[in-house]
Amino acid sequence: MPELGTKVDLPVMPPPTDTCTGKALSVRALRKTYAGVTAVDEVSMEIAGGEFVTFLGSSGSGKTTTLMMIAGFCDPDSGSIVVGGRDVTRLAPQKRGLGFVFQQYLLFPHMTVWENVAFPLQLRGASKAEQRRRVGETLEMAGLSALARRRPRELSGGQQQRVALCRALVYRPPVILMDEPLGALDKKLRDQLQTEIKRIQQELGLTVIYVTHDQEEALVLSDRIAVMRDGRIDQFDTPQELFERPRTPFVADFLGAANFLPGRLEEQTAERTLVRLDTGGLLTARPQAVADGARVRAAVQPGRLVLCPPDDGFCTGTVETVTYVGTLVRVTVRPVSGADTEVVRLELPAGRAPALGERVGLAADPANVSVFPDVVPDPEHGG
Ligand code: ADP
Ligand code: MG
């Protein structure tokens, strides 16, 4: 395999943006139903030039359908798509000037790597000299120069996907759409290509819309993530915001694997929200608007909990399991009070592991505690 990470100077074109709004792409109230089933429901978003945006959601949440409508391979029932200030909703895919990379590499099997990458330039009538220059630069950037004469079947999956990426990049489209492009690759290769994609995106200032169901992949790559559920965007925010201020229990669970601690709202001020947990203790959360006196669930991620002396924290319990995962240790604590309460999950640095059966207190920075009204759990999404 050729050396990765070779850096070359490419003529970087500024990402075309809508001069009125400064947005590379706007999606407005997109909707698509299939035989009465709503696949995409009023999806709206504004994406800035140079942004890396990911649609994250489990299978069937409407990610691909949204991307296909942006690409032009699927007609929306209603809504509009604006690229660089131009309404493209009714334009054919090839007239939208977008680049695509899909999970299946879809390379032309009878063409060499070079010919595959040159193809979009030929379509656009680029001169032979222009083709030579651009294909050469793009292959070099992706570490594929040595493989230029091979055909797709003579390449590994990772190499084929890199060729597909080059083919999308070679004519510098204003926006590149990628649907689970690394889904067919093994973990190590996926990690490597994630780094590659991010490097190329940053180097060229590309605007990317990426689809994945893998939280970690979304977090590594994205400037902003749209968390999708049932054809809708639950929250569209930076990874940090999604972690620290999830707006729905679904986001708290899907991204942070949060503990949900049941209780009742005790007090709300401008500085804090107090929750009386069913286990008896009092938990302080960041200030949030929740209906007074209501049943609530406080969400806190395993990595945001710390141990403290028994009876000093919001909960006291006994250590039930301790599992080492590399430099981390996963710990479960069974609260001593409250008969049928669930265990609380913690993630601690390996050096801080408690002993099995030890009596411990649990504490959390209020900034890391979110409070949600308690609603009847949605059976399909586990709450
Ligand atoms: P994702 O990419 O997030 O897995 P999709 O956008 O592929 O989700 O699908 C969203 C919903 O629309 C699913 O319920 C799926 O079954 C349905 N769907 C997608 N494409 C079609 C189609 N061509 N015909 C009928 N239903 C479809
Ligand atoms: Mg999909």
Side-chain angles (χ1 to χ4, degrees), residues 30-32 40 65-72 74 76 81 96:
L30 270 193
R31 215 180 144 77
K32 179 75 185 176
V40 174
T65 307
T66 306
L67 204 71
M68 289 299 115
M69 288 193 281
I70 295 172
C74 167
I81 299 143
R96 300 186 181 200

Side-chain angles (χ1 to χ4, degrees), residues 251-273:
V251 172
D253 184 35
F254 196 64
L255 271 147
N259 291 287
F260 288 96
L261 311 171
R264 185 168 288 281
L265 196 67
E266 178 115 340
E267 188 190 296
Q268 299 185 82
T269 68
E271 286 79 40
R272 62 180 194 178
T273 306

Side-chain angles (χ1 to χ4, degrees), residues 63-64 179-180 211:
K63 308 180 297 292
T64 295
D179 193 351
E180 311 240 6
V211 162

Side-chain angles (χ1 to χ4, degrees), residues 78-140:
S78 54
S80 63
I81 299 143
V82 177
V83 179
R86 189 171 62 130
D87 190 320
V88 301
T89 317
R90 312 253 161 261
L91 289 185
Q94 68 276 14
K95 300 225 166 103
R96 300 186 181 200
L98 306 169
F100 321 107
V101 187
F102 301 113
Q103 179 168 353
Q104 294 312 318
Y105 322 120
L106 305 174
L107 298 174
F108 299 113
H110 59 286
M111 291 186 189
T112 63
V113 166
W114 182 283
E115 288 161 350
N116 265 285
V117 176
F119 185 74
L121 294 173
Q122 277 167 12
L123 271 188
R124 285 167 177 77
S127 70
K128 284 268 179 250
E130 172 88 357
Q131 286 180 36
R132 258 197 306 280
R133 186 174 63 80
R134 286 207 173 237
V135 175
E137 283 167 353
T138 308
L139 289 179
E140 194 179 338

Side-chain angles (χ1 to χ4, degrees), residues 110-287:
H110 59 286
M111 291 186 189
T112 63
V113 166
W114 182 283
E115 288 161 350
N116 265 285
V117 176
F119 185 74
L121 294 173
Q122 277 167 12
L123 271 188
R124 285 167 177 77
S127 70
K128 284 268 179 250
E130 172 88 357
Q131 286 180 36
R132 258 197 306 280
R133 186 174 63 80
R134 286 207 173 237
V135 175
E137 283 167 353
T138 308
L139 289 179
E140 194 179 338
M141 179 181 58
L144 289 172
S145 301
L147 306 180
R149 289 170 172 284
R150 293 215 194 154
R151 283 174 216 283
R153 71 182 133 75
E154 298 163 328
L155 301 174
S156 71
Q159 289 165 343
Q160 289 186 49
Q161 193 54 291
R162 225 176 265 144
V163 176
L165 181 64
C166 285
R167 195 178 50 181
L169 285 171
V170 73
Y171 63 96
R172 297 287 182 281
V175 180
I176 296 190
L177 311 176
M178 304 194 199
D179 193 351
E180 311 240 6
L182 310 182
L185 307 176
D186 65 47
K187 169 103 177 86
K188 189 156 170 248
L189 202 50
R190 224 163 49 220
D191 290 349
Q192 196 180 21
L193 274 167
Q194 281 167 12
T195 312
E196 278 290 280
I197 288 174
K198 190 68 189 167
R199 176 182 66 80
I200 293 170
Q201 182 257 337
Q202 288 178 331
E203 231 168 86
L204 302 183
L206 299 171
T207 310
V208 174
I209 306 182
Y210 194 95
V211 162
T212 184
H213 62 271
D214 181 336
Q215 294 88 325
E216 202 183 307
E217 183 162 287
L219 292 170
V220 168
L221 289 171
S222 319
D223 296 315
R224 283 194 296 165
I225 299 172
V227 181
M228 293 198 68
R229 177 170 59 136
D230 294 342
R232 292 185 198 199
I233 296 176
D234 250 42
Q235 189 169 349
F236 181 34
D237 252 322
T238 61
Q240 192 182 354
E241 278 292 305
L242 291 168
F243 257 111
E244 293 181 358
R245 275 175 283 278
R247 276 213 285 273
T248 67
F250 178 75
V251 172
D253 184 35
F254 196 64
L255 271 147
N259 291 287
F260 288 96
L261 311 171
R264 185 168 288 281
L265 196 67
E266 178 115 340
E267 188 190 296
Q268 299 185 82
T269 68
E271 286 79 40
R272 62 180 194 178
T273 306
L274 276 182
V275 176
R276 175 67 63 186
L277 297 175
D278 289 354
T279 45
L282 205 53
L283 175 60
T284 311
R286 62 190 166 83

